[in-house]
Amino acid sequence: MTPYDAGLAVFGLDFAVKGSALAATVCWMKSRMDQYSPTPQASEAKIEASPHSADSSLREQALGHLFLGQLLAFMWRNGARDIEVLKSEVDRGGYDVVLEANGIIRHVQLKSSFRGSKVREVDVSTKLLRKPGGCILWLEFDRESLAIERFFWFGGKAGTALPDLGHRVSRHSKGNSDGEKNERPIHRVLTRGRFEALADISEVVEKLFG
């Protein structure tokens, strides 16, 4: 029997006689093929990105609408109907939404993280310091339903400017061609510890408009 015939046996096209030299050849060839056949490695498995990172823009839009819904519903129930809401079309001024009520204007930057997240700091544009009533509202939400569960506040009293942001300059999340994460000169890092925890939307309204 030729090596060619033995190769046919490997692929089921012939049957070796038990105990023959052909059987030994076939077994040897099969073991060699098994040795070099590719096997999936765990490291090659495709790791899908979390929706909270892959679709973060959509998530932020949804949370912004949910927050405004809570705010407007609360004010409606309490007879505070004289309120205006303006949304920033381009994020250049360091804020997401402008709220006006009781003659008080608030430029609000919204930040968010889901309950249980390890995020403990956020980047804030220093441009917000120049906006009337600049403030930051950090929303903590349920990662499955997106329901807002807690609010964290950083800002001054109604009618005053945003408090000092400190001197810790933030850096880009991605490195450049050399792997270095360059500074973002007009952005500062605020830790969770500088925010005040608020119980519910009623306390948010009190902070915003007094």
Side-chain angles (χ1 to χ4, degrees), residues 32-198:
R32 297 292 289 178
M33 292 176 67
D34 290 342
Q35 178 181 353
Y36 292 106
S37 62
T39 54
Q41 299 295 323
S43 60
E44 296 176 355
K46 182 179 179 181
I47 301 176
E48 294 186 2
S50 164
H52 291 284
S53 58
D55 299 314
S56 58
S57 295
L58 175 60
R59 186 195 76 178
E60 297 308 312
Q61 287 293 324
L63 288 168
H65 287 293
L66 289 169
F67 162 66
L68 290 175
Q70 285 194 34
L71 174 72
L72 295 175
F74 175 84
M75 298 190 75
W76 175 274
R77 292 192 300 269
N78 288 273
R81 314 281 167 76
D82 186 18
I83 180 171
E84 292 187 43
V85 178
L86 305 174
K87 295 198 69 177
S88 173
E89 196 69 33
V90 181
D91 186 11
R92 286 179 57 86
Y95 63 91
D96 295 299
V97 63
V98 181
L99 304 172
E100 182 175 359
N102 301 332
I104 297 169
I105 297 176
R106 286 288 195 179
H107 285 71
V108 186
Q109 172 72 68
L110 296 175
K111 299 292 183 179
S112 65
S113 62
F114 55 79
R115 174 170 32 87
S117 169
K118 295 181 179 179
V119 175
R120 287 295 179 268
E121 57 188 34
V122 292
D123 293 349
V124 180
S125 172
T126 55
K127 291 182 178 180
L128 192 58
L129 291 165
R130 302 195 295 267
K131 300 298 180 181
C135 58
I136 306 159
L137 196 59
W138 190 336
L139 313 175
E140 187 175 83
F141 62 93
D142 178 83
R143 65 181 301 164
E144 300 301 329
S145 67
L146 296 189
I148 300 172
E149 298 179 333
R150 291 202 296 174
F151 303 91
F152 296 90
W153 166 268
F154 183 85
K157 294 182 178 180
T160 64
L162 183 72
D164 181 63
L165 297 174
H167 303 288
R168 183 182 169 191
V169 178
S170 67
R171 293 181 177 273
H172 288 279
S173 57
K174 295 182 179 179
N176 58 18
S177 58
D178 297 322
E180 298 175 346
K181 296 182 178 181
N182 294 329
E183 290 186 340
R184 304 173 69 193
I186 66 169
H187 287 78
R188 300 292 180 269
V189 177
L190 281 184
T191 62
R192 173 69 70 87
R194 296 196 63 187
F195 286 74
E196 178 184 352
L198 304 180

